[in-house]
Structures are given as C-alpha cells and as structure tokens.
Amino acid sequence: MPYVVTRSCCADASCVLACPVNCIHPAPGEPGFATAEMLYVDPRTCVDCGACTTACPVDALKPHTALGAGELPFVELNASFYRDNPHADRAPMYVVPRQRTLPAGELSVAVVGAGPAGLFAADELLRHPGVRVTVHDRLPTPYGLARAGVAPDHQDTKQVTELFRTIESQPGFSYRLGVEVGTDLAHADLLRAHHAVIYAVGAATDRRLGIEGEDLPGSVSATDFVAWYNGHPDHARDDHRLDTGRAVVVGNGNVSLDVARILTADPETLARTDISDHALAALRDSRIREVVLLGRRGPAQAAFTVPELIALSALEDVDVSVEGWPDDLEPDTDEKTRLLSELAARTPVEGRRRIVLRFLAGPVRITGEGRVRALEITSTTLHTDDDGTVRARPTGETETLETGLVLRAVGYRARPVPGLPFDEDSATVPHRAGRVEPGVYVAGWIKRGPTGFIGTNKTCAHETVESLLDDFAAGRLAPPVSAATEAPDALDLAAWRAIDRAERAAGAAQGRPRVKFTDSTSLRRAAKGVAAVTV
C-alpha cells in the first residue's frame, strides 16, 4: 500500500479533497466522519501520487516504505477499514462547503475561547464575505489543549497549530487575549458589541472519583498534571512529588496513556520537546519505575484510541503489559483487543520502566498520613444491561497498591458559563444544533461534552455556524449597539505573533521546537518584543 494514515487526524479534510482517486475515507458527509478516530487510505485504489501528504497539515500520511517499526500496524489498520466499509462505487461524497450569500452589511461575531473549537468556528465564519470575528481567551496565548493538552512527545500532533495560524491570518480575524469574559468583560458587553457570541470555552476541570482520601497531597487531577508538564500558566509552577516507585492512573483514556508515557520517558528525549522546563527538572529526578493504569471495565471497553495504543506499543525502552483479561473475551474481537493481546503476550525485560494496563479493577479509597501512601482497589466483573451497555460491578475482593502518586483521569468537566443555562448532569450548555438562543451559541466541549478529538471540533463548529448564519439571514440577530469594550491589557494578533517568535527563537537555541514562557510577566514582555525574557 503506497500511503498510510498513521495517527488521529485534524479533520481538516484537505487530504480528501486533494486525493484524485477518492481513496481516503470516511469523508465529510459520509457516515462516521464526525466521530472517526482517524481517516484511512484504501490500499486498492491509492495511486502513490503523494497529493495527500502535501495537503495534510499534521503530517499524518506517509508512504508505507517510510514507516518505522512501531508504525507498521497502521498498514493493516488502514486496510481493515475497507474490508468492513467497502466503497465499491468510488463515488465521491465530499462536497466543498457552500459560500453563503448573507444579507447586506457586516456580520460581527465574538468567539469566547481560542482553542480548536473556537478557531474552527472562526474559520467557518470567515469563509463568507463581510464577516468579522474577534476571538477572546483569558490566557495570553491561543490554541487551548492543542498547546497545553497535547503531550510534548506528540510534536507531530501539535503541527495542527500551523492550520490555526492560517485561520488567524485571514482578513476579518482579530484576537483579544488575556481577557476573561465574566471578569474583564461581561456577557452583556459582548452582545451589545456584536451580532452574536459563540462560546467555545471547553471543559476546564475534571471529574472526581468520589472516594475517601481523594484530597490527600499526592492525589492529583490528570487535567492539572498535563497542564503542569505542558507549561500552562495556571499550573506551570506546581510541584508534584515524583519520589515514589509506582504511580497509579485511574482511567484508561488517551490522557491516561499520555501521562504514563511522560512519567516513564527518558528525560533526555523529552528535553528535545516543548515540555515545561520546571516539569523536565522534576522528571529528571523522578524515582517512578512503574505506572499502573486502572480500568473498571475490560479491554474491549477501554477508552483510548487505536492510534494511541499503537504509539504506546511502539515504545522501545519501556515495557507495556496487560493484566485483567476477561475469560470470555476473544483476543481478536477487534483491532484494539488484538493489539492488547499481543502486549499481554510480551516478555518483560528486567530493569526497564514499566506501564501496566490493568483492567477489571477500580479504586476504593486512598490512604496515607499527610500524603498518599497507597490505593485500595477492588476487582470487578462485567454485566450487560438490556440496552447493551457494559457495566462493571465490584466483586468485594480488594488489594492494596503502594504508591505515592494517584492521578485521576476519568474525564473532563465544564464549568457553568455566566449568563447561560447549564445542565449539571451533562456539564454542558443546553442547545439545539449549537443555538442556545438567537445571538448566543456554543461549540466544542461546552456544547457536546468532553468527547472526540481535535478534528471533531471542526464538524461541531460547522453545525453551530450554520445555525448562526441561518439566524442572521432570517433577521433574528440584533445589530451591535455600541463599540466593543476594550480591556486595557488585551493582547492582539501581533502580540501573540511576537510571543510565538520569541518562544521559537529560545527553542532553536536549545535544539527544541520552542521554549514556552509560562508566567504572565514573561509572556507580556515577549508580546512587547522585549528580548530579555525569563522563562
């Protein structure tokens, strides 16, 4: 097979449009595109032209001859998609989004949140003439989880920021960074200054375990831990004690795999990434040799994606093992269980750091005097509800794992947005197709909950923008009645570009993609073009 998709995609769909033989699916408009972990190249019809690699903004496509040993499973993964989802008619389904004819006059939209959902929403809006978009974010830097959530050893995934750079370069786009809506600006201020407001504020907190001892020092939200090693200004100076032989991660989604990789990675390898210098220093002194990931259900229900599992299985200096395989689960149920069964059959190498994927086990309580010393866990069994939902039930058999670090990675949770309704159960803003009411809209995790990937936000934003444009065309949006209220310390696009240049220059001097500035003083000095910036 000439070309292969090798990771989760950005959903830009540039490769689909560039392919002259329609061999990349699912495409926009096809079933499964909005929820797909990745796209796939059909080995039967790819003509080895390379147009897809030129179009892809995140270098996700490679010729099969350029794959490393750890990437070879992607060959079968791409091919197997077409055995299960044949496209015999080869009829292209992808239609370029139409450019709408809007009513006379300019449309002004405020977007709150400069992460992937907010920037994809801005992109969808700016496809139409006569639209101005002002993107607000409380941080001095944009890109949200693409900057502060993607693991530093996944630099290829971070290349999606080049796509965001293109979006923010469009006429009609502007930033107001370092401005918190609800504090520096009110919801009412935005409505007075714009036809509409789109909230794309994400999910900034994490779900709790609800067990005894959860608030002991050493029991940490994975959300905060990821922000720490990625240099998020809110957490860059946190201190996490890594003086324990074992860390336990409760949860087995992609974030759990990220945390496990970072905790077991060679610090010298991480030193060539954009990891926070503060976190890198702590990891150099780390005593952690084993990371256990707990999943209450079985391997078939694991929340991590196949591309992330392939990346984990390709680690060269870390053993990855699997424990807790249900007796009635066939190892070749799907691609995920097949890969996990191969990991379960590996022979550990003495002296290596170790990642253990442990299934059918859940947390009971965290114990310790003054800090975490152990986690009590229970084994579970699986039961299927009438609706097909597989649930875990504790057996009552318990075990104690000695550990000084417990990381909670059981999901993100959004906070209420001042001035908007909020559903506490789903932690989302109620809406219809992104419309809260005419003039107020939501996109991303605050709209649909913390599901999907970076690229999922593109489809989500498209739906929301269609609702907004429908309302504008129908005359349901009130025109602005006052000029935008300016926060005196707001940073614009030029200021962000100055920060970006300074970080890249500091990184180039050390052989790294960038060195992040992680405090407000350094960021604002860089924004003003001050050369002597402390990190």
Side-chain angles (χ1 to χ4, degrees):
M1 181 169 64
Y3 281 83
V4 183
V5 179
T6 61
R7 67 181 66 93
S8 296
C9 301
C10 66
D12 177 61
S14 298
C15 59
V16 177
L17 191 60
C19 178
V21 292
N22 187 36
C23 74
I24 304 175
H25 296 271
E30 293 180 343
F33 174 77
T35 56
E37 292 182 356
M38 56 185 285
L39 305 186
Y40 307 86
V41 175
D42 187 346
R44 300 168 301 170
T45 52
C46 177
V47 294
D48 197 20
C49 69
C52 57
T53 59
T54 302
C56 179
V58 295
D59 292 342
L61 289 120
K62 296 181 181 180
H64 78 284
T65 53
L67 298 178
E71 295 174 314
L72 292 177
F74 284 106
V75 174
E76 170 59 21
L77 185 62
N78 278 248
S80 65
F81 174 80
Y82 291 92
R83 289 195 291 271
D84 297 332
N85 303 274
H87 284 263
D89 60 354
R90 313 309 309 156
M93 295 185 67
Y94 181 38
V95 178
V96 177
R98 63 190 175 100
Q99 187 181 75
R100 298 172 61 138
T101 301
L102 302 179
E106 192 172 68
L107 170 62
S108 174
V109 180
V111 175
V112 183
L119 290 173
F120 281 134
D123 188 39
E124 292 291 332
L125 286 163
L126 292 170
R127 294 176 186 274
H128 309 285
V131 179
R132 288 188 300 109
V133 179
T134 304
V135 178
H136 300 73
D137 201 284
R138 72 178 187 86
L139 294 179
T141 57
Y143 305 163
L145 287 180
R147 175 180 169 96
V150 176
D153 62 343
H154 276 10
Q155 290 297 311
D156 45 8
T157 303
K158 291 187 180 230
Q159 290 184 56
V160 72
T161 59
E162 294 302 313
L163 175 60
F164 299 155
R165 187 178 177 88
T166 300
I167 292 171
E168 67 192 18
S169 299
Q170 297 178 78
F173 183 99
S174 62
Y175 272 136
R176 294 294 182 270
L177 302 174
V179 176
E180 185 169 7
V181 175
T183 301
D184 302 309
L185 286 177
H187 173 62
D189 295 330
L190 295 177
L191 287 177
R192 281 193 295 268
H194 304 275
H195 289 88
V197 183
I198 298 176
Y199 284 90
V201 293
T205 61
D206 65 297
R207 294 173 56 196
R208 291 178 62 82
L209 300 175
I211 62 175
E212 181 183 343
E214 186 171 5
D215 294 318
L216 278 170
S219 172
V220 181
S221 156
T223 304
D224 294 347
F225 194 78
V226 168
W228 168 69
Y229 64 61
N230 270 316
H232 190 293
D234 290 349
H235 297 281
R237 298 298 172 182
D238 290 355
D239 285 312
H240 296 293
R241 293 178 61 175
L242 309 181
D243 57 349
T244 179
R246 175 190 291 133
V248 181
V249 183
V250 181
N252 57 17
N254 285 348
V255 172
S256 300
L257 298 193
D258 286 347
V259 169
R261 287 197 323 275
I262 297 303
L263 284 172
T264 55
D266 179 359
E268 298 313 311
T269 299
L270 293 177
R272 297 191 291 272
T273 73
D274 63 348
I275 191 170
S276 157
D277 285 353
H278 185 63
L280 180 61
L283 289 165
R284 289 188 192 277
D285 294 333
S286 171
R287 292 174 53 195
I288 294 173
R289 303 296 300 175
E290 179 182 81
V291 181
V292 179
L293 276 61
L294 295 183
R296 292 177 58 85
R297 297 187 294 173
Q301 292 79 41
F304 48 69
T305 60
V306 171
E308 288 299 319
L309 181 59
I310 291 175
L312 188 76
S313 65
L315 297 177
E316 296 181 352
D317 299 322
V318 178
D319 278 331
V320 182
S321 62
V322 177
E323 298 178 3
W325 195 279
D327 293 336
D328 60 348
L329 178 63
E330 295 295 329
D332 59 351
T333 301
D334 55 24
E335 188 66 16
K336 184 179 295 181
T337 56
R338 186 186 69 78
L339 289 167
L340 286 169
S341 66
E342 291 179 358
L343 288 173
R346 286 185 180 180
T347 302
V349 177
E350 187 175 354
R352 281 184 175 176
R353 291 186 176 91
R354 186 169 178 246
I355 296 173
V356 181
L357 305 177
R358 183 163 180 176
F359 298 99
L360 302 180
V364 175
R365 65 182 181 128
I366 301 171
T367 60
E369 292 293 332
R371 65 166 294 188
V372 171
R373 295 297 181 187
L375 173 67
E376 185 178 318
I377 65 174
T378 181
S379 59
T380 62
T381 57
L382 299 180
H383 297 266
T384 304
D385 293 345
D386 293 339
D387 63 359
T389 302
V390 178
R391 301 189 185 278
R393 296 180 181 173
T395 65
E397 298 178 5
T398 61
E399 175 186 346
T400 298
L401 294 178
E402 292 186 2
T403 180
L405 180 62
V406 175
L407 292 153
R408 309 184 301 273
V410 291
Y412 292 91
R413 181 178 173 84
R415 297 190 182 105
V417 178
L420 272 62
F422 191 72
D423 184 331
E424 288 288 348
D425 292 336
S426 64
T428 60
V429 171
H431 66 92
R432 288 189 177 183
R435 180 191 294 107
V436 181
E437 61 183 38
V440 182
Y441 307 85
V442 286
W445 282 359
I446 192 65
K447 170 186 173 184
R448 67 180 191 275
T451 60
F453 321 102
I454 289 177
T456 311
N457 292 294
K458 186 174 180 65
T459 304
C460 175
H462 175 76
E463 178 188 61
T464 295
V465 169
E466 286 295 295
S467 295
L468 187 157
L469 295 178
D470 285 345
D471 287 344
F472 184 55
R476 290 190 286 263
L477 302 185
V481 296
S482 65
T485 302
E486 290 294 335
D489 295 331
L491 301 179
D492 59 11
L493 175 59
W496 157 237
R497 290 285 169 85
I499 293 171
D500 185 46
R501 287 193 299 272
E503 288 187 338
R504 290 175 186 261
Q510 300 181 26
R512 303 168 64 182
R514 70 173 64 237
V515 174
K516 290 178 181 173
F517 306 137
T518 59
D519 64 86
S520 179
T521 300
S522 296
L523 286 163
R524 290 189 176 277
R525 285 169 61 87
K528 295 177 180 178
V530 178
V533 179
T534 58
V535 183

